Amino acid sequence: MMQGKHRAARGCPVSHKKAAKHMEKLTVITGTNASGKSRLGIKLAKKFGAEIISADSRQIYEGLDLGSGKVTKEEMDGVPHHLLDVAKPNDFYSLVDFQRDAYKAIDETLARGNKAFLVGGTGLYVNAVTDGYNISLQGPSMEKRRELNAKSKEELIGMIREKAPEMLEGLDLMNTQRIERTAERVLAGDTGKRVNVPRYETLVLGVTWPREVLYERIRERLDRRLSQGMIDEVKRLREQGATDEFLYGLGLEYRYILMYLRGEFESFDAFYQKLFMEIRHLAKGQMTWFRKRTDIHWIDMTKNPEAEASALIEEFYQGR
Protein backbone atom coordinates (compact mmCIF):
# COMPACT_ATOMS: atom_id res chain seq x y z
CA MET A 1 0.00 0.00 0.00
CA MET A 2 1.12 3.56 -0.66
CA GLN A 3 2.17 5.44 2.43
CA GLY A 4 3.71 8.74 3.50
CA LYS A 5 5.05 10.88 0.69
CA HIS A 6 5.05 8.14 -1.90
CA ARG A 7 3.01 9.08 -4.92
CA ALA A 8 0.75 7.35 -7.36
CA ALA A 9 2.12 6.24 -10.73
CA ARG A 10 5.13 7.98 -12.23
CA GLY A 11 6.40 9.28 -8.89
CA CYS A 12 4.84 12.71 -9.20
CA PRO A 13 5.82 15.23 -6.54
CA VAL A 14 3.42 16.22 -3.79
CA SER A 15 1.17 18.92 -5.18
CA HIS A 16 -2.38 20.13 -5.36
CA LYS A 17 -4.37 20.96 -8.43
CA LYS A 18 -3.43 24.43 -9.60
CA ALA A 19 -6.28 26.75 -10.42
CA ALA A 20 -7.04 30.33 -11.26
CA LYS A 21 -6.66 32.75 -8.35
CA HIS A 22 -10.40 33.34 -8.07
CA MET A 23 -11.09 29.66 -7.38
CA GLU A 24 -12.10 28.72 -3.84
CA LYS A 25 -10.14 25.98 -2.08
CA LEU A 26 -11.43 22.52 -1.24
CA THR A 27 -9.71 19.83 0.83
CA VAL A 28 -10.54 16.23 -0.03
CA ILE A 29 -9.98 13.29 2.34
CA THR A 30 -10.54 9.98 0.60
CA GLY A 31 -9.34 6.40 0.76
CA THR A 32 -10.32 2.80 1.25
CA ASN A 33 -12.96 1.14 3.38
CA ALA A 34 -12.16 0.94 7.10
CA SER A 35 -9.19 3.27 6.71
CA GLY A 36 -10.32 5.84 9.27
CA LYS A 37 -10.91 8.70 6.81
CA SER A 38 -14.16 9.79 8.50
CA ARG A 39 -12.55 10.00 11.93
CA LEU A 40 -9.51 11.82 10.58
CA GLY A 41 -11.75 14.18 8.63
CA ILE A 42 -13.69 15.11 11.76
CA LYS A 43 -10.52 15.78 13.77
CA LEU A 44 -9.13 17.98 11.01
CA ALA A 45 -12.45 19.75 10.48
CA LYS A 46 -12.60 20.71 14.16
CA LYS A 47 -9.04 21.99 14.03
CA PHE A 48 -9.50 24.09 10.89
CA GLY A 49 -13.10 25.25 11.30
CA ALA A 50 -14.40 23.17 8.40
CA GLU A 51 -17.69 21.55 7.49
CA ILE A 52 -17.78 18.08 5.96
CA ILE A 53 -19.49 17.18 2.71
CA SER A 54 -19.92 13.41 2.45
CA ALA A 55 -18.83 11.67 -0.77
CA ASP A 56 -20.41 8.27 -0.16
CA SER A 57 -22.97 6.78 -2.55
CA ARG A 58 -24.84 4.89 0.17
CA GLN A 59 -24.77 7.36 3.04
CA ILE A 60 -27.03 9.65 1.03
CA TYR A 61 -29.95 7.34 1.90
CA GLU A 62 -32.02 7.54 5.08
CA GLY A 63 -31.87 4.42 7.23
CA LEU A 64 -28.69 3.07 5.67
CA ASP A 65 -26.58 3.59 8.76
CA LEU A 66 -24.64 0.56 9.97
CA GLY A 67 -24.30 -0.98 6.53
CA SER A 68 -22.88 2.21 5.04
CA GLY A 69 -20.66 3.10 8.00
CA LYS A 70 -22.45 6.42 8.46
CA VAL A 71 -21.07 8.51 11.31
CA THR A 72 -23.35 9.04 14.29
CA LYS A 73 -24.23 12.41 15.81
CA GLU A 74 -21.85 11.63 18.68
CA GLU A 75 -19.02 10.78 16.28
CA MET A 76 -19.56 14.05 14.40
CA ASP A 77 -18.43 15.84 17.57
CA GLY A 78 -20.23 19.02 16.59
CA VAL A 79 -18.82 19.19 13.06
CA PRO A 80 -21.57 19.98 10.51
CA HIS A 81 -22.03 17.21 7.94
CA HIS A 82 -23.77 17.52 4.59
CA LEU A 83 -25.23 15.04 2.05
CA LEU A 84 -26.18 12.45 4.63
CA ASP A 85 -29.80 11.21 4.53
CA VAL A 86 -30.77 13.34 1.52
CA ALA A 87 -32.67 10.57 -0.30
CA LYS A 88 -35.07 7.82 0.69
CA PRO A 89 -34.64 4.11 -0.08
CA ASN A 90 -35.81 3.27 -3.63
CA ASP A 91 -35.22 6.87 -4.76
CA PHE A 92 -33.24 7.49 -7.93
CA TYR A 93 -30.17 9.56 -7.00
CA SER A 94 -27.69 10.03 -9.82
CA LEU A 95 -24.16 11.33 -10.16
CA VAL A 96 -25.70 14.52 -11.55
CA ASP A 97 -27.75 14.85 -8.35
CA PHE A 98 -24.70 14.32 -6.19
CA GLN A 99 -22.51 16.81 -8.04
CA ARG A 100 -25.23 19.47 -7.94
CA ASP A 101 -25.89 18.94 -4.23
CA ALA A 102 -22.18 18.79 -3.39
CA TYR A 103 -21.46 22.04 -5.24
CA LYS A 104 -24.34 23.70 -3.38
CA ALA A 105 -23.20 22.44 0.02
CA ILE A 106 -19.58 23.42 -0.63
CA ASP A 107 -20.48 26.89 -1.88
CA GLU A 108 -22.80 27.54 1.05
CA THR A 109 -20.13 26.36 3.49
CA LEU A 110 -17.55 28.69 1.94
CA ALA A 111 -20.04 31.56 1.96
CA ARG A 112 -20.36 31.12 5.73
CA GLY A 113 -16.62 31.69 6.01
CA ASN A 114 -15.84 28.06 6.82
CA LYS A 115 -13.54 25.67 5.02
CA ALA A 116 -15.10 22.79 3.09
CA PHE A 117 -13.79 19.24 3.42
CA LEU A 118 -15.07 16.60 0.97
CA VAL A 119 -14.76 13.27 2.80
CA GLY A 120 -15.59 9.83 1.43
CA GLY A 121 -14.50 6.81 -0.52
CA THR A 122 -16.79 6.74 -3.56
CA GLY A 123 -14.20 7.50 -6.20
CA LEU A 124 -16.68 8.59 -8.87
CA TYR A 125 -18.26 11.09 -6.48
CA VAL A 126 -14.87 12.46 -5.46
CA ASN A 127 -13.71 12.85 -9.06
CA ALA A 128 -16.98 14.42 -10.20
CA VAL A 129 -16.40 17.31 -7.79
CA THR A 130 -12.62 17.67 -7.76
CA ASP A 131 -12.22 17.30 -11.53
CA GLY A 132 -15.40 19.18 -12.37
CA TYR A 133 -17.06 16.56 -14.54
CA ASN A 134 -19.20 18.15 -17.24
CA ILE A 135 -22.00 15.61 -16.87
CA SER A 136 -24.95 15.11 -19.16
CA LEU A 137 -28.06 16.52 -17.51
CA GLN A 138 -30.31 13.90 -19.07
CA GLY A 139 -32.85 12.89 -16.46
CA PRO A 140 -34.15 9.35 -16.00
CA SER A 141 -36.68 8.28 -18.63
CA MET A 142 -39.27 5.79 -17.45
CA GLU A 143 -39.80 4.55 -21.00
CA LYS A 144 -36.08 3.90 -21.41
CA ARG A 145 -35.95 2.35 -17.95
CA ARG A 146 -38.60 -0.20 -18.96
CA GLU A 147 -36.72 -0.94 -22.17
CA LEU A 148 -33.49 -1.49 -20.26
CA ASN A 149 -35.17 -3.59 -17.57
CA ALA A 150 -36.01 -6.15 -20.28
CA LYS A 151 -32.32 -6.64 -21.06
CA SER A 152 -29.87 -8.84 -19.16
CA LYS A 153 -26.89 -7.35 -17.37
CA GLU A 154 -24.58 -8.85 -19.99
CA GLU A 155 -26.61 -7.25 -22.81
CA LEU A 156 -26.42 -3.86 -21.11
CA ILE A 157 -22.65 -4.11 -20.60
CA GLY A 158 -22.27 -5.11 -24.26
CA MET A 159 -24.29 -2.09 -25.37
CA ILE A 160 -22.17 0.26 -23.26
CA ARG A 161 -18.96 -1.31 -24.54
CA GLU A 162 -20.10 -0.87 -28.14
CA LYS A 163 -21.40 2.71 -27.94
CA ALA A 164 -19.42 4.36 -25.13
CA PRO A 165 -16.54 2.15 -23.89
CA GLU A 166 -15.09 4.95 -21.76
CA MET A 167 -18.14 4.77 -19.54
CA LEU A 168 -17.14 1.29 -18.38
CA GLU A 169 -14.09 2.76 -16.64
CA GLY A 170 -14.65 2.55 -12.90
CA LEU A 171 -18.17 1.11 -13.33
CA ASP A 172 -19.05 -1.58 -10.75
CA LEU A 173 -20.02 -4.48 -13.00
CA MET A 174 -21.66 -6.22 -10.04
CA ASN A 175 -24.03 -3.28 -9.47
CA THR A 176 -27.00 -3.84 -11.77
CA GLN A 177 -28.58 -0.52 -10.84
CA ARG A 178 -25.47 1.44 -11.83
CA ILE A 179 -25.15 -0.51 -15.08
CA GLU A 180 -28.75 0.29 -15.99
CA ARG A 181 -28.27 4.01 -15.20
CA THR A 182 -25.14 4.06 -17.35
CA ALA A 183 -26.93 2.28 -20.20
CA GLU A 184 -29.72 4.83 -19.99
CA ARG A 185 -27.23 7.66 -20.39
CA VAL A 186 -25.76 5.89 -23.42
CA LEU A 187 -29.23 5.64 -25.01
CA ALA A 188 -29.64 9.37 -24.35
CA GLY A 189 -26.51 10.05 -26.39
CA ASP A 190 -23.93 10.43 -23.62
CA THR A 191 -20.58 9.03 -24.83
CA GLY A 192 -18.72 9.55 -21.57
CA LYS A 193 -16.23 11.86 -23.25
CA ARG A 194 -16.03 14.89 -21.03
CA VAL A 195 -14.30 18.23 -21.04
CA ASN A 196 -13.81 18.72 -17.32
CA VAL A 197 -14.35 22.15 -15.80
CA PRO A 198 -12.76 22.22 -12.32
CA ARG A 199 -14.63 24.50 -9.95
CA TYR A 200 -12.21 24.47 -7.00
CA GLU A 201 -8.52 24.37 -6.26
CA THR A 202 -8.09 21.08 -4.44
CA LEU A 203 -5.79 19.38 -1.98
CA VAL A 204 -6.41 15.62 -2.06
CA LEU A 205 -5.33 13.53 0.93
CA GLY A 206 -5.43 9.73 0.73
CA VAL A 207 -5.97 7.42 3.69
CA THR A 208 -5.15 3.72 3.80
CA TRP A 209 -3.00 1.16 5.63
CA PRO A 210 -0.58 -1.65 4.78
CA ARG A 211 -2.65 -4.47 3.32
CA GLU A 212 -2.65 -6.89 6.26
CA VAL A 213 -3.41 -4.11 8.73
CA LEU A 214 -6.25 -2.89 6.52
CA TYR A 215 -7.72 -6.39 6.26
CA GLU A 216 -7.71 -6.74 10.04
CA ARG A 217 -9.41 -3.34 10.37
CA ILE A 218 -12.04 -4.49 7.87
CA ARG A 219 -12.70 -7.65 9.91
CA GLU A 220 -12.93 -5.73 13.18
CA ARG A 221 -15.34 -3.22 11.68
CA LEU A 222 -17.49 -5.95 10.14
CA ASP A 223 -17.69 -7.80 13.47
CA ARG A 224 -18.60 -4.59 15.28
CA ARG A 225 -21.34 -3.61 12.85
CA LEU A 226 -22.86 -7.09 12.85
CA SER A 227 -22.94 -7.06 16.65
CA GLN A 228 -24.60 -3.63 16.56
CA GLY A 229 -27.47 -4.98 14.46
CA MET A 230 -26.57 -4.59 10.79
CA ILE A 231 -28.71 -7.59 9.80
CA ASP A 232 -31.68 -6.16 11.71
CA GLU A 233 -31.14 -2.88 9.85
CA VAL A 234 -31.71 -4.64 6.53
CA LYS A 235 -34.77 -6.45 7.93
CA ARG A 236 -36.19 -3.12 9.04
CA LEU A 237 -35.50 -1.48 5.67
CA ARG A 238 -37.40 -4.25 3.89
CA GLU A 239 -40.30 -3.96 6.35
CA GLN A 240 -40.42 -0.21 5.68
CA GLY A 241 -40.66 -0.71 1.93
CA ALA A 242 -37.11 -0.84 0.59
CA THR A 243 -37.24 -3.21 -2.37
CA ASP A 244 -34.94 -6.18 -2.77
CA GLU A 245 -33.84 -4.71 -6.11
CA PHE A 246 -32.78 -1.50 -4.38
CA LEU A 247 -30.93 -3.30 -1.58
CA TYR A 248 -29.20 -5.68 -3.97
CA GLY A 249 -28.05 -2.77 -6.12
CA LEU A 250 -26.31 -1.18 -3.14
CA GLY A 251 -23.71 -3.94 -3.14
CA LEU A 252 -21.59 -5.28 -0.30
CA GLU A 253 -23.25 -5.40 3.12
CA TYR A 254 -26.77 -4.77 1.88
CA ARG A 255 -26.53 -7.21 -1.02
CA TYR A 256 -25.11 -10.09 1.00
CA ILE A 257 -27.30 -9.57 4.04
CA LEU A 258 -30.29 -9.58 1.70
CA MET A 259 -29.06 -12.84 0.18
CA TYR A 260 -28.55 -14.26 3.69
CA LEU A 261 -32.08 -13.30 4.72
CA ARG A 262 -33.45 -14.94 1.57
CA GLY A 263 -31.67 -18.18 2.50
CA GLU A 264 -29.11 -18.03 -0.31
CA PHE A 265 -26.21 -19.04 1.98
CA GLU A 266 -25.96 -22.44 3.60
CA SER A 267 -24.84 -20.94 6.90
CA PHE A 268 -24.00 -17.71 8.69
CA ASP A 269 -20.31 -18.56 8.41
CA ALA A 270 -20.58 -18.92 4.63
CA PHE A 271 -22.32 -15.54 4.46
CA TYR A 272 -19.71 -13.93 6.73
CA GLN A 273 -16.72 -15.22 4.80
CA LYS A 274 -18.19 -14.15 1.45
CA LEU A 275 -18.97 -10.66 2.72
CA PHE A 276 -15.54 -10.25 4.30
CA MET A 277 -13.88 -11.34 1.06
CA GLU A 278 -15.97 -8.91 -1.01
CA ILE A 279 -15.20 -5.95 1.28
CA ARG A 280 -11.50 -6.76 0.92
CA HIS A 281 -11.96 -6.94 -2.83
CA LEU A 282 -13.64 -3.52 -2.81
CA ALA A 283 -10.73 -2.02 -0.87
CA LYS A 284 -8.34 -3.31 -3.54
CA GLY A 285 -10.57 -1.87 -6.23
CA GLN A 286 -10.66 1.49 -4.47
CA MET A 287 -6.87 1.59 -4.45
CA THR A 288 -6.81 0.80 -8.17
CA TRP A 289 -9.23 3.68 -8.74
CA PHE A 290 -7.31 6.15 -6.58
CA ARG A 291 -3.95 5.25 -8.12
CA LYS A 292 -5.18 6.85 -11.33
CA ARG A 293 -4.96 10.21 -9.59
CA THR A 294 -1.44 11.62 -9.52
CA ASP A 295 -2.33 14.44 -7.12
CA ILE A 296 -3.05 12.38 -4.00
CA HIS A 297 -0.79 12.75 -0.99
CA TRP A 298 -0.99 9.46 0.90
CA ILE A 299 -1.00 10.03 4.65
CA ASP A 300 1.09 7.62 6.72
CA MET A 301 -1.54 6.28 9.13
CA THR A 302 1.06 4.29 11.10
CA LYS A 303 2.73 7.45 12.44
CA ASN A 304 1.02 10.77 13.17
CA PRO A 305 -1.57 11.23 10.43
CA GLU A 306 -3.25 14.25 12.01
CA ALA A 307 0.03 16.17 12.20
CA GLU A 308 1.05 15.23 8.65
CA ALA A 309 -2.34 16.16 7.21
CA SER A 310 -2.44 19.39 9.24
CA ALA A 311 0.89 20.54 7.84
CA LEU A 312 -0.33 20.00 4.29
CA ILE A 313 -3.63 21.77 4.96
CA GLU A 314 -1.89 24.73 6.58
CA GLU A 315 0.40 25.09 3.57
CA PHE A 316 -2.55 24.77 1.17
CA TYR A 317 -4.52 27.57 2.84
CA GLN A 318 -1.53 29.77 3.55
CA GLY A 319 -2.27 33.37 2.76
CA ARG A 320 -6.06 32.88 2.60
Side-chain angles (χ1 to χ4, degrees), residues 26 28 52-61 82-84 86-87 92-106 117-133 135-137 178 199-200:
L26 173 69
V28 180
I52 289 176
I53 295 84
S54 172
D56 188 290
S57 61
R58 300 186 301 173
Q59 294 182 9
I60 59 174
Y61 291 106
H82 305 279
L83 300 198
L84 301 177
V86 296
F92 174 83
Y93 192 91
S94 69
L95 183 63
V96 172
D97 295 322
F98 171 77
Q99 187 192 56
R100 179 200 63 225
D101 292 346
Y103 281 164
K104 183 174 185 289
I106 292 167
F117 286 4
L118 183 71
V119 181
T122 301
L124 191 60
Y125 277 17
V126 170
N127 289 359
V129 173
T130 58
D131 296 344
Y133 282 3
I135 310 171
S136 167
L137 296 179
R178 290 288 176 84
R199 188 162 174 164
Y200 311 103

Side-chain angles (χ1 to χ4, degrees), residues 15 34 59 79 96 99 106 111 115 129 142 147 154 187 189 198 209-210 222 228 276 281-282 284 313 316 319:
S15 65
Q59 294 182 9
V79 174
V96 172
Q99 187 192 56
I106 292 167
K115 293 179 176 61
V129 173
M142 293 309 297
E147 177 184 342
E154 290 70 24
L187 284 181
W209 295 79
L222 177 57
Q228 290 172 338
F276 175 58
H281 181 71
L282 174 66
K284 290 174 64 177
I313 293 171
F316 179 55

